[in-house]
Amino acid sequence: MAEGRGRQGDRTAVSGRSRRGRPGHDRESLLRIAVGLFNERGFDGTSMDDLARELGVTKAAIYHHVSGKQELLRLAVDRALDGLFALVDELDTVPGRAVDRLEHLVRGSVTVLVDRLPYVTLLLRVRGNTPVERDALERRREFDRIVAGLVAEAVADGDLRGDVDPATTARLLFGMVNSLIEWYRPHGHIGGPDLADAVATVAFDGLRTT
């Protein structure tokens, strides 16, 4: 991994000053292209050689920006998870009852998915095969516990039906949200706000007690 890190020619390949005239890549564009390949070929099925060929640079040039595939994976899944937990941080400012905070979280999660679709897609495909993936799964479980807690609170308030286990309700809610990665495409016939409205209507019209 360390080979060639000090070679000026490799560094300039990413910075845009390559003698071969390759286009420049900063860390952000490197991450975006890597996530595209991970989603297309699978994380395990994508090598650093594959990424270097896609970028048109040497592997050493990539190592100038990141330590390797695991760091790219961590940056990618954190992009998705940080968006979700930013919504959690907003909950104390949401007026109303627990059901209102829950709906805010669901609507916001749809927006995060739309805005960060490749990163959320990758997050939902990790299986815990590496420490980075296991950390990501633990953060997902933490988010699930927060959602289940809001559901239980809303049930106790009498705002949501209580004949379904709160943890099951939480999984069903976000199972619907997460399924969007299978068919939603940017620049289609429906935008993020309308999609959030649709998900909230389908979900909460069936869950509310009134």
Side-chain angles (χ1 to χ4, degrees):
M1 180 175 67
E3 63 175 349
R5 282 192 178 185
R7 297 176 185 173
Q8 185 63 29
D10 289 335
R11 294 190 179 192
T12 57
V14 170
S15 66
R17 297 189 299 272
S18 170
R19 287 174 297 176
R20 294 175 292 171
R22 298 290 191 181
H25 293 286
D26 57 15
R27 183 160 152 161
E28 185 64 22
S29 65
L30 167 62
L31 178 62
R32 183 174 63 253
I33 291 170
V35 169
L37 283 179
F38 294 161
N39 283 330
E40 178 185 342
R41 305 181 183 185
F43 177 73
D44 292 334
T46 304
S47 69
M48 292 298 286
D49 285 323
D50 294 331
L51 184 54
R53 279 193 296 270
E54 186 75 13
L55 290 162
V57 300
T58 64
K59 285 194 294 184
I62 298 174
Y63 292 134
H64 175 65
H65 290 274
V66 294
S67 59
K69 277 176 55 179
Q70 289 295 323
E71 185 177 1
L72 286 167
L73 180 62
R74 179 183 60 77
L75 290 169
V77 296
D78 280 353
R79 182 72 57 88
L81 286 161
D82 290 348
L84 294 175
F85 278 93
L87 296 171
V88 172
D89 292 340
E90 296 172 1
L91 291 179
D92 288 341
T93 68
V94 176
R97 297 155 69 91
V99 68
D100 300 304
R101 295 193 295 277
L102 178 63
E103 184 169 345
H104 176 84
L105 197 57
V106 170
R107 287 176 175 274
S109 296
V110 173
T111 300
V112 168
L113 184 146
V114 168
D115 290 345
R116 310 182 186 196
L117 183 60
Y119 304 96
V120 176
T121 299
L122 184 61
L123 171 65
L124 295 177
R125 291 177 177 172
V126 301
R127 293 295 179 264
N129 297 326
T130 67
V132 171
E133 292 178 274
R134 288 190 286 274
D135 288 345
L137 289 177
E138 180 52 41
R139 290 187 72 189
R140 280 189 62 188
R141 285 190 286 267
E142 181 184 354
F143 184 81
D144 291 344
R145 288 191 290 268
I146 292 168
V147 176
L150 282 174
V151 173
E153 189 177 345
V155 170
D157 289 342
D159 293 322
L160 292 186
R161 55 192 299 168
D163 55 345
V164 181
D165 172 67
T168 300
T169 297
R171 291 190 184 99
L172 290 171
L173 273 174
F174 277 84
M176 179 166 57
V177 173
N178 295 341
S179 71
L180 298 177
I181 69 167
E182 302 299 334
W183 61 266
Y184 176 77
R185 296 296 178 267
H187 315 301
H189 69 284
I190 184 170
D194 289 338
L195 191 59
D197 285 343
V199 169
T201 297
V202 170
F204 289 96
D205 280 1
L207 285 172
R208 289 184 187 271
T209 55
T210 56

